[in-house]
Amino acid sequence: MAELTAAPAPSGHPAPAGTAPASGTAPAPGTAPPSGTAPAAGARSDAPSRRRAGSGALPTPRARRRFALVLGSLIVLSLAFGLGYLALDNPMPFGSEGFWIIAKLRVTTLVVMVLVAFCQALGTVAFQTVTNNRIITPSIMGFESLYRAIQTTAVYVLGVAGLTALQGTTQFVLQIAAMMALSALLYGWLLSGRSANMQVMLLVGIVIGGGLGAVSTFMQRLLTPSEFDVLAARLFGSVSNADVDQLPIAIPLVVLAGTVLLLRSRRLNVVALGKEQATNLGIDHRRETILVLLLVSLLMAVSTAMIGPMTFFGFLVATLAYQAAGTHDHRLVLPVAFLTAFVVLSGAYFVMKHVFYAQGYVSIIIELIGGSIFLAVILRKGRL
Amino acid sequence: MITLRTVSKQYSSEVRIGPVDLEIPAGGVTALVGPNGAGKSTLLTMIGRLLGLDEGTIEVAGMDVSTTRSKDLAKVLSILRQENHVVTRLTVRQLVGFGRFPHSQGRLTAADEERISEAIDFLHLGELEGRYLDELSGGQRQRAYVAMVLAQDTEYVLLDEPLNNLDMKHSVHMMRHLRRAAEELGRTIVIVLHDINFAGRYADRICAVQGGRVLEHGPSAQIMTSEVLTRVFDTPVQVIDGPDGPLAVYY
């Protein structure tokens, strides 16, 4: 009789990053009241009698269980690495005054890691969605080259003192502003003209990045070895590059951009279908694209200005997050990407600090080990 | 009703579409036919506001497509192109569910789910609804996209060569589905077709386009003559009496 029992849509599936992992994410199939309101369907012989899955992000109970498991493990790992970083290897006895002083110092680093993970994860996923391209990262759009060029120019012109001249909140804001200006110019110019073309924009972005990179490399050749040594430390992405004074500026910017992106998750799902489908479904594609690209630039600019280049990180995390989440829905992919990013970043720090005693070079371990995991996952699954 | 008034689009100094004046009445299936490069798809994408016009106006159900908000048009008009970006990790049912976006903004209700089920059953995709799009053949994917625009529940449905990638059996099925959608669901379907015989058999009206202009527009029987088709396609065409009406022979 009731062949068209539309199971209640599990579409309102809330998964903000901070909620409890497993409970409540998977409504038991038995509790769903069947809405047998399709008498006409009874006459249809080709529709087999079965309960239909909904059209939500995770249509089957199996997918829901899998997602709950993934989300749960990521939260547990995040907490483990986060707390481990705060508490482990603290020279003072637990509970003493000194213990808490050291732990407080580490909290800053932890906050920076959370911010960077958030920026890189959300930025890359959203960027890949609006460009309809799953093998690129916003880092190649000139941000990191601009950062390298600014840092190198400072050392080239002012010597080692140049780096100190770049470390202050005003300079931090100026660097973010410079990167935002570059991207706004690029997007505004290339996407609002008559010949608006995403591929051309990406290409121009890469060319600008390449050009700035070449200029930086040339200037680096002319530096003295000691100046170059000081500069090199700034050009490896490292959480220790960040400054406590930057946080009061960085946090509101990141929270603002991140919230707007998360609130637009449903629209991002439609944008992922491509320009023509998105327009057909009533999205103003150009407006949506430019808005998202500007938010992505803000996130990437804050992350880069704070800790330096992390070229491969966002890309790695976005791909792993899609594999882990197993859905197209940004409402689920974005939080998973954020947690994955934090686990990878804090995990890398944990390993570097407690296994290799070389915590300055975390971007190296991320690109080496992360890159290998990435290749293994892609080669095994065979799709992005 | 779809009304085009002095619509034109300049591609380069030599290639120009229009000026086109055309009225497509509501209801039934209208086929756009013509040789390659005649401007059929361009006209269709301009009506579907995927491509801007240089001059003139296009109105669909009284709404000007260049000035009406895309969001409002999406409830009246849906368009499907030939090539669609394939999203991985998207099931057939989830894709069809996107058709409800203009109505629910992504928050699917039980009523939406029912519409989705109906659209899936309408195209006999029930067995495939849980499959991922990248696991389907080109023809199956094509049907899934058509189900999506049907779930969008718009009065006007524009389809750009939906028979591409389809074999004989599925082409016939697709045309029957569309005919049924026009008759049972009361949709106005405008479709670009390459095979003139499919147009003659399933369309109520045929609009013949050549060199960026509308050459002929009228009931199918009126267009399916040797004289008109020879002129439109610029190649000798002979129309003979087939078992289900006129058949164009041009091989």
Side-chain angles (χ1 to χ4, degrees):
Chain A
M1 181 59 217
E3 288 171 352
L4 271 182
T5 49
S11 57
H13 185 88
T19 51
S23 63
T25 49
T31 59
S35 56
T37 53
R44 208 172 283 158
S45 56
D46 57 335
S49 182
R50 69 205 142 85
R51 172 178 291 280
R52 300 184 76 139
S55 315
L58 303 164
T60 60
R62 190 167 160 266
R64 284 192 283 274
R65 275 199 302 275
R66 188 176 163 279
F67 183 81
L69 190 71
V70 165
L71 195 66
S73 335
L74 283 174
I75 289 173
V76 168
L77 278 175
S78 305
L79 289 176
F81 282 132
L83 294 177
Y85 182 79
L86 289 186
L88 271 189
D89 209 22
N90 192 323
M92 303 301 282
F94 179 79
S96 68
E97 205 180 320
F99 179 89
W100 292 116
I101 293 175
I102 292 175
K104 261 182 199 161
L105 286 175
R106 291 182 182 177
V107 165
T108 313
T109 315
L110 207 60
V111 170
V112 173
M113 281 197 234
V114 170
L115 282 182
V116 169
F118 191 79
C119 289
Q120 296 272 345
L122 266 66
T124 310
V125 171
F127 187 76
Q128 292 184 343
T129 296
V130 293
T131 53
N132 277 336
N133 189 332
R134 286 277 296 281
I135 54 167
I136 55 174
T137 155
S139 312
I140 59 168
M141 297 297 295
F143 294 107
E144 303 194 335
S145 306
L146 188 62
Y147 172 85
R148 285 198 181 91
I150 292 174
Q151 302 284 330
T152 310
T153 312
V155 175
Y156 182 76
V157 176
L158 301 172
V160 177
L163 283 184
T164 0
L166 281 180
Q167 274 157 355
T169 43
T170 325
Q171 288 86 334
F172 177 68
V173 173
L174 285 178
Q175 284 193 50
I176 294 178
M179 292 186 224
M180 284 296 290
L182 174 74
S183 52
L185 208 70
L186 197 61
Y187 305 148
W189 171 46
L190 285 166
L191 286 183
S192 29
R194 247 181 75 95
S195 54
N197 187 330
M198 185 68 75
Q199 307 300 329
V200 173
M201 185 204 80
L202 292 178
L203 196 61
V204 172
I206 294 170
V207 169
I208 290 179
L212 285 171
V215 172
S216 311
T217 312
F218 176 68
M219 285 194 286
Q220 284 164 17
R221 290 258 165 197
L222 303 177
L223 292 179
T224 64
S226 60
E227 284 172 338
F228 181 74
D229 196 43
V230 175
L231 177 66
R234 296 288 300 179
L235 296 185
F236 274 113
S238 169
V239 173
S240 49
N241 285 343
D243 192 346
V244 191
D245 299 337
Q246 296 168 347
L247 293 182
I249 303 161
I251 291 174
L253 287 179
V254 169
V255 168
L256 177 77
T259 312
V260 178
L261 271 184
L262 283 169
L263 288 176
R264 300 186 94 76
S265 311
R266 287 190 172 87
R267 292 166 150 265
L268 283 175
N269 291 343
V270 178
V271 170
L273 295 176
K275 181 179 179 186
E276 297 187 329
Q277 277 310 332
T279 310
N280 170 44
L281 294 172
I283 298 260
D284 186 340
H285 186 264
R286 177 180 296 179
R287 206 179 127 239
E288 195 68 23
T289 307
I290 291 183
L291 176 70
V292 171
L293 285 176
L294 286 176
L295 292 172
V296 169
S297 326
L298 184 59
L299 291 174
M300 298 309 287
V302 170
S303 166
T304 310
M306 212 157 50
I307 67 154
M310 297 280 260
T311 314
F312 197 51
F313 181 57
F315 172 56
L316 171 80
V317 161
T319 310
L320 288 177
Y322 271 107
Q323 300 288 346
T327 172
H328 68 285
D329 192 336
H330 286 77
R331 281 174 303 148
L332 307 183
V333 173
L334 290 176
V336 167
F338 165 52
L339 287 175
T340 311
F342 183 73
V343 168
V344 170
L345 194 59
S346 57
Y349 261 85
F350 191 81
V351 170
M352 282 311 232
K353 194 175 165 73
H354 298 290
V355 182
F356 294 122
Y357 304 103
Q359 57 173 324
Y361 294 98
V362 158
S363 57
I364 297 173
I365 197 173
I366 287 176
E367 306 211 343
L368 194 68
I369 296 184
S372 318
I373 296 175
F374 168 79
L375 279 180
V377 169
I378 292 298
L379 291 177
R380 198 168 59 83
K381 288 236 185 170
R383 69 172 174 195
L384 285 170
Chain B
M1 186 152 72
I2 300 175
T3 316
L4 285 78
R5 283 192 208 94
T6 62
V7 169
S8 72
K9 176 90 187 165
Q10 191 89 36
Y11 273 110
S12 65
S13 51
E14 292 96 48
V15 185
R16 180 184 166 86
I17 305 289
V20 171
D21 286 277
L22 181 66
E23 276 195 5
I24 300 173
V29 176
T30 303
L32 289 173
V33 300
N36 288 341
K40 312 175 292 276
S41 293
T42 305
L43 279 180
L44 196 82
T45 40
M46 286 198 292
I47 298 172
R49 51 101 166 73
L50 298 183
L51 189 69
L53 8 156
D54 291 343
E55 280 165 47
T57 54
I58 297 179
E59 277 183 14
V60 177
M63 300 156 101
D64 187 328
V65 295
S66 0
T67 54
T68 311
R69 283 197 310 168
S70 192
K71 205 176 153 183
D72 299 329
L73 273 175
K75 292 178 189 165
V76 178
L77 168 84
S78 55
I79 177 163
L80 181 65
R81 295 298 313 275
Q82 295 174 50
E83 305 283 332
N84 289 291
H85 178 75
V86 177
V87 185
T88 52
R89 252 165 266 288
L90 195 61
T91 65
V92 170
R93 194 178 170 92
Q94 286 168 345
L95 176 77
V96 178
F98 274 115
R100 302 303 301 164
F101 187 84
H103 306 275
S104 61
Q105 301 301 316
R107 292 175 179 80
L108 295 176
T109 63
D112 286 324
E113 291 285 351
E114 213 154 295
R115 279 289 159 80
I116 296 165
S117 293
E118 282 168 20
I120 287 173
D121 291 340
F122 196 86
L123 285 152
H124 303 302
L125 283 165
E127 298 294 319
L128 298 174
E129 70 173 13
R131 292 264 288 274
Y132 287 106
L133 285 185
D134 50 1
E135 298 168 354
L136 300 181
S137 71
Q140 291 169 330
R141 207 178 293 149
Q142 187 80 341
R143 277 194 287 155
Y145 275 103
V146 172
M148 184 190 102
V149 293
L150 287 187
Q152 203 174 332
D153 205 11
T154 55
E155 193 189 339
Y156 295 86
V157 179
L158 315 177
L159 302 164
D160 193 358
E161 298 198 27
L163 303 188
N164 257 12
N165 301 326
L166 297 190
D167 59 19
M168 243 184 251
K169 174 184 155 192
H170 286 103
S171 297
V172 171
H173 276 283
M174 176 65 78
M175 288 312 293
R176 286 194 186 143
H177 292 319
L178 295 177
R179 200 56 259 156
R180 237 162 25 96
E183 280 162 14
E184 293 172 21
L185 311 176
R187 310 289 174 84
T188 304
I189 295 178
V190 182
I191 178 173
V192 172
L193 283 178
H194 248 298
D195 188 333
I196 182 68
N197 286 323
F198 268 116
R201 174 75 177 78
Y202 292 100
D204 299 299
R205 285 172 304 277
I206 296 179
C207 174
V209 185
Q210 195 202 52
R213 287 162 187 267
V214 174
L215 211 61
E216 297 282 344
H217 181 215
S220 299
Q222 200 179 312
I223 308 294
M224 290 297 285
T225 66
S226 305
E227 186 270 321
V228 172
L229 292 184
T230 301
R231 195 150 48 83
V232 168
F233 289 97
D234 198 21
T235 191
V237 179
Q238 206 184 348
V239 174
I240 59 169
D241 273 332
D244 302 304
L247 267 184
V249 183
Y250 48 94
Y251 311 101

